């Protein structure tokens, strides 16, 4: 194989120079650049229908996905066999570069300025070698896109070396809502039906990195970690700060939940010896609109919860238990401190005041329906009580759906805030006399998937990929390790789904707004069912101003691994 590394490095720099921050027109600009680059190749000049853009319907920024495919001409092979290469073309913002932000997308000039300034020693050591390229998106994941593009060009010039089809899908909007890959399913399904393709698996080139200091391994991932955004809304009892013991401060309860959840390794999810990171809090705030001297009546918090095998029902129950404990702990603390203060002040000791109620969103909906049906305010369920829709009118769901649609029309509305608005509406209508906490889910939902050992076909694919990596490692001297879940969030979540229908049902029963705010086509993904493997460029510090990609592996070893895979399967 000829050395393609120089072309890959040059193309990576060209892609990095296009500032394609998620949520900006730069995402459209980079798609247009990539499509022009493809269309200029002789193969696609001869087959113009095989390189095209897919507009994201209704997108105000005019963003697009880019697709291309090359068909092998080698005799004797199975022409229906196909491998999907996919990646994303957007990046996170550049604000973290500070004074260096003007150079964040100029790899060569950024390198000079970084070396001339103050750097962490490990970063300086890497950059001084000349083997690392800095820049926003250099690692995550424009280098991976460049590798795919140059390799697709190479295959287009050597179609007689393989049979079958290599399909390239480069997608926008990965860094938050994954809209690109979700819309891209239309194209993948169309190619499958129109060309008679059978997708064997997908290769993602999203970045890989060392898992600990001094880690000597290079990792391949046989799937993608799942994510549930798990939320807790708390409605307390406000009071003037001059009578603080008469209220139940929602902010204190939210803080107690965060304290119990964040970094808690007991909440890690495992599958065959691989464990997720523990949940991380992504937001915590009270809902007071402005300053006053009342304690907060409402607060909410939400967490990134990674999953390998847990169902949505499992996660929901864990958070319900944690929230019950937190609410009871705050109520007990208020009582204890009020007693202590009464003794200090030589005042009468008051009896316990608060008996918090904790429920899931599904239970909240059922409680409001029951209250409407009964026409009274004493229909609160006890904590943990399930829903019973047998005597409930069917209009509440329609109201909630209409409200979600109306809020969704304004694209400035954060999807999580839309779900919160529905919870607040129901809590206000329920009007409990005691503190209330509601556990629910919000967008985005990223399904988990991997090559499951229990599935003989998937287990065989896992073994074959591991063997290919080992063979390449013997040639290059690299120590490859296969793991089952790419540990960061990835578009690969939307190519195959391992969550059961029951888990998906539990998720959406407790996601306010449902598929109006989190439109993941779960059954379609289940039907598409493309196993997703991450090969990935190698780098460090993705999403940091010290982001950098390691060129010798990414432009030297990785291409050999990808082409060896094409050779073995096509």
């Amino acid at each position: 194989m000829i050395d393609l590394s120089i072309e890959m490095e040059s193309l990576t720099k060209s892609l990095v120079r296009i500032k394609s921050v998620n949520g900006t027109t730069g995402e459209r600009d980079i798609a247009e650049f990539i499509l022009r680059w493809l269309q200029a190749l002789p193969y696609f000049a001869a087959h113009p229908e095989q390189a095209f853009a897919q507009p994201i319907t209704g997108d105000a920024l005019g963003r697009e996905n880019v697709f291309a495919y090359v068909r092998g001409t080698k005799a004797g092979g199975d022409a229906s066999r196909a491998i999907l290469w996919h990646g994303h073309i957007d990046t996170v913002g550049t604000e973290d570069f500070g004074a260096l932000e003007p150079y964040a997308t100029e790899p060569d000039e950024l390198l000079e300025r970084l070396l001339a300034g103050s750097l962490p020693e490990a970063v300086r050591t890497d950059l001084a070698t000349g083997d690392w390229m800095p820049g926003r998106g250099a690692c995550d994941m424009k280098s991976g896109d460049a590798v795919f593009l140059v390799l697709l060009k190479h295959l287009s010039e050597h179609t007689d070396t393989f049979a079958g089809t290599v399909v390239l899908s480069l997608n926008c909007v990965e860094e938050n809502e994954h809209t690109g890959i979700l819309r891209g399913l239309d194209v993948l399904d169309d190619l499958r039906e129109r060309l008679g393709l059978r997708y064997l698996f997908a290769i993602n080139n999203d970045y890989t990195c060392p898992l600990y200091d001094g880690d000597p391994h290079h990792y391949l991932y046989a799937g993608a970690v799942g994510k549930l955004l798990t939320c807790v809304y708390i409605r307390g009892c406000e009071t003037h700060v001059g009578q603080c013991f008469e209220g139940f401060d929602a902010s204190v309860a939210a803080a107690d939940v965060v304290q119990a959840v964040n970094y808690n390794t007991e909440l890690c999810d495992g599958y065959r010896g691989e464990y997720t990171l523990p949940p991380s809090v992504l937001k915590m705030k009270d809902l007071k609109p402005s300053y006053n001297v009342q304690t907060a009546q409402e607060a909410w918090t939400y967490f990134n919860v990674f999953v390998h095998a847990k169902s949505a029902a499992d996660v929901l129950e864990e958070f319900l238990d944690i929230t019950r404990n937190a609410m009871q702990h705050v109520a007990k603390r208020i009582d204890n401190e009020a007693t202590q203060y009464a003794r200090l002040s030589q005042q009468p000791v008051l009896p316990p005041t608060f008996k918090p109620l904790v429920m899931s969103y599904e239970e909240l909906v059922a409680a409001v329906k029951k209250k409407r049906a009964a026409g009274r305010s004493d229909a609160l369920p006890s904590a943990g009580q399930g829903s019973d829709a047998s005597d409930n009118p069917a209009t509440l769901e329609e109201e909630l759906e209409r409200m979600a649609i109306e809020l969704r029309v304004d694209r400035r509305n954060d999807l999580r805030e839309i779900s919160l608005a529905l919870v607040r509406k129901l809590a206000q209508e329920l009007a409990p006399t005691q503190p209330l906490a509601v556990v629910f889910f919000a967008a985005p939902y990223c399904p988990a998937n991997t090559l499951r050992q229990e599935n003989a076909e998937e287990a065989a694919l896992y073994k074959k990929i591991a063997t290919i990596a080992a063979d390449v490692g013997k040639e290059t001297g690299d120590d490859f390790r296969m793991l089952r879940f790419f540990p960061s969030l990835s578009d690969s979540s939307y190519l195959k789904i391992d969550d059961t229908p029951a888990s998906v049902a539990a998720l959406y029963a407790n996601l306010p707004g449902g598929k109006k705010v989190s439109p993941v086509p779960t059954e379609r993904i289940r039907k598409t069912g493309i196993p997703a493997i991450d090969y990935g460029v190698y780098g460090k510090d993705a999403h940091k101003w010290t982001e950098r990609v390691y060129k010798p592996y990414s432009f030297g070893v990785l291409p050999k691994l990808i082409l060896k895979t094409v050779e073995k399967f096509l």
Side-chain angles (χ1 to χ4, degrees):
M1 172 183 156
I2 61 173
D3 185 3
L4 302 174
S5 61
I6 294 175
E7 187 174 5
M8 290 173 179
E9 180 177 350
S10 176
L11 183 55
T12 297
K13 290 179 181 179
S14 296
L15 295 175
V16 171
R17 291 189 185 107
I18 302 170
K19 189 175 182 180
S20 57
V21 173
N22 180 276
T24 71
T25 56
E27 291 189 77
R28 181 190 64 212
D29 297 339
I30 195 169
E32 292 174 351
F33 173 90
I34 290 170
L35 184 58
R36 288 196 303 269
W37 188 92
L38 286 164
Q39 290 172 335
L41 300 180
Y43 180 88
F44 294 109
H47 304 85
E49 74 284 359
Q50 292 181 213
F52 55 92
Q54 177 203 24
I56 304 302
T57 305
D59 185 62
L61 298 174
R63 290 173 290 189
E64 299 175 321
N65 294 323
V66 179
F67 290 88
Y69 60 93
V70 173
R71 310 208 75 176
T73 58
K74 184 178 179 180
D78 183 350
S80 71
R81 294 165 72 87
I83 297 174
L84 171 65
W85 295 351
H86 78 102
H88 67 88
I89 53 179
D90 59 330
T91 73
V92 294
T94 57
E95 298 83 0
D96 54 322
F97 282 81
L100 292 173
E101 186 173 11
Y103 315 104
T105 57
E106 296 290 339
D108 292 334
E109 189 166 359
L110 178 62
L111 177 61
E112 293 180 11
R113 291 178 178 272
L114 286 170
L115 289 173
S118 177
L119 283 173
E121 192 56 37
V123 179
R124 180 174 298 281
T125 298
D126 283 348
L127 294 180
T129 65
D131 288 337
W132 296 78
M133 181 196 300
R136 175 56 77 234
C139 175
D140 182 16
M141 61 164 283
K142 293 181 177 180
S143 53
D145 297 332
V147 169
F148 277 152
L149 287 164
V150 173
L151 287 182
L152 196 69
K153 174 187 175 184
H154 173 77
L155 290 179
S156 75
E157 296 167 346
H158 300 87
T159 58
D160 60 338
T161 63
F162 69 102
T165 304
V166 173
V167 178
L168 175 66
S169 171
L170 297 181
N171 306 112
C172 57
V173 203
E174 188 266 359
E175 292 290 359
N176 55 7
E177 304 298 345
H178 304 275
T179 308
I181 189 68
L182 289 171
R183 299 290 176 84
L185 294 176
D186 290 340
V187 173
L188 296 180
D189 286 346
D190 174 69
L191 292 177
R192 185 206 306 265
E193 295 172 10
R194 184 160 49 85
L195 304 179
L197 300 183
R198 179 165 55 93
Y199 294 112
L200 304 180
F201 55 88
I203 298 175
N204 192 354
N205 253 358
D206 217 336
Y207 76 97
T208 63
C209 60
L211 299 184
Y212 53 87
D213 286 343
D215 186 356
H217 310 301
H218 287 288
Y219 296 97
L220 307 181
Y221 296 95
V225 69
K227 168 182 176 157
L228 296 171
L229 194 78
T230 310
C231 312
V232 180
Y233 164 81
I234 298 168
R235 181 183 177 94
C237 301
E238 77 281 8
T239 185
H240 191 287
V241 292
Q243 295 88 38
C244 63
F245 292 118
E246 295 178 14
F248 187 99
D249 192 328
S251 295
V252 176
D256 212 288
V257 172
V258 171
Q259 182 70 22
V261 172
N262 219 51
Y263 306 121
N264 185 349
T265 54
E266 291 184 1
L267 300 176
C268 296
D269 184 22
Y271 174 77
R272 298 188 70 86
E274 282 185 39
Y275 291 89
T276 65
L277 289 166
S280 295
V281 61
L282 295 179
K283 182 182 282 290
M284 181 180 72
K285 69 174 184 178
D286 68 52
L287 301 178
K288 291 172 63 173
S290 60
Y291 169 82
N292 60 34
V293 290
Q294 280 185 328
T295 59
Q297 183 188 39
E298 297 176 288
W300 82 309
T301 182
Y302 58 70
F303 302 86
N304 184 93
V305 180
F306 287 130
V307 293
H308 284 174
K310 285 180 181 176
S311 69
D314 293 334
V315 174
L316 182 69
E317 192 55 46
E318 285 181 338
F319 272 76
L320 284 168
D321 286 343
I322 289 169
T323 304
R324 289 186 193 103
N325 290 337
M327 295 288 282
Q328 291 165 6
H329 178 258
V330 172
K332 186 175 181 180
R333 182 183 174 196
I334 292 170
D335 290 339
N336 290 343
E337 297 301 329
T339 298
Q340 289 295 100
Y341 183 77
R343 289 170 179 165
L344 285 172
S345 305
Q346 297 183 346
Q347 296 175 1
V349 176
L350 300 175
T353 307
F354 300 109
K355 295 180 180 179
L357 178 65
V358 177
M359 62 178 69
S360 67
Y361 176 73
E362 185 176 16
E363 291 170 334
L364 175 63
V365 171
V368 172
K369 290 169 74 172
K370 191 170 184 178
K371 179 180 179 181
R372 286 187 178 188
R376 61 179 191 270
S377 61
D378 60 348
L380 296 179
S382 60
Q385 177 181 324
S387 59
D388 179 6
S390 60
D391 60 346
N392 295 330
T395 58
L396 181 56
E397 287 84 357
E398 295 173 356
E399 289 179 27
L400 295 170
E401 181 175 300
R402 184 167 59 250
M403 181 177 175
I405 293 171
E406 291 172 354
L407 291 170
R408 190 74 177 92
V409 167
D410 187 346
R411 297 293 179 178
R412 294 171 297 180
N413 284 331
D414 183 271
L415 296 181
R416 287 133 294 274
E417 298 281 349
I418 294 175
S419 291
L420 173 65
L422 302 187
V423 174
R424 294 180 76 186
K425 166 187 167 57
L426 294 176
Q428 183 176 16
E429 182 171 346
L430 192 62
T433 58
Q434 292 292 332
L436 168 69
V438 181
V439 179
F440 61 100
F441 297 113
Y445 162 48
C446 303
N449 65 62
T450 190
L451 297 177
R452 298 280 171 181
Q453 196 64 29
E454 300 84 1
N455 182 303
E457 186 176 344
E458 292 182 4
L461 177 58
Y462 183 98
K463 184 177 181 180
K464 189 170 182 178
I465 295 292
T467 299
I468 293 171
D471 290 344
V472 172
K474 290 176 183 177
E475 177 186 342
T476 63
D478 291 279
D479 185 1
F480 286 100
R481 297 290 175 90
M482 281 279 286
L483 295 176
R484 295 185 179 276
F485 300 91
F486 182 61
S488 301
L489 300 173
S490 164
D491 275 347
S492 293
S493 279
Y494 302 99
L495 295 176
K496 177 177 179 284
I497 183 170
D498 291 350
D499 285 348
T500 66
S503 176
V504 173
L507 167 72
Y508 278 105
N510 289 284
L511 199 161
K515 292 198 173 182
K516 299 301 179 183
V517 296
S518 184
V520 178
T522 52
E523 291 312 305
R524 182 177 187 179
I525 295 170
R526 200 180 306 281
K527 182 179 178 181
T528 299
I530 305 175
I533 300 163
D534 191 86
Y535 277 16
V537 295
Y538 183 80
K540 296 179 181 177
D541 294 353
H543 292 207
K544 300 180 183 179
W545 63 276
T546 49
E547 175 182 356
R548 57 202 185 277
V549 64
Y550 184 55
K551 296 184 291 185
Y553 176 86
S554 302
F555 304 142
V557 177
L558 175 62
K560 292 180 181 178
L561 181 62
I562 295 173
L563 289 180
K564 179 68 73 172
T565 303
V566 172
E567 175 190 328
K568 291 295 185 182
F569 284 92
L570 300 184

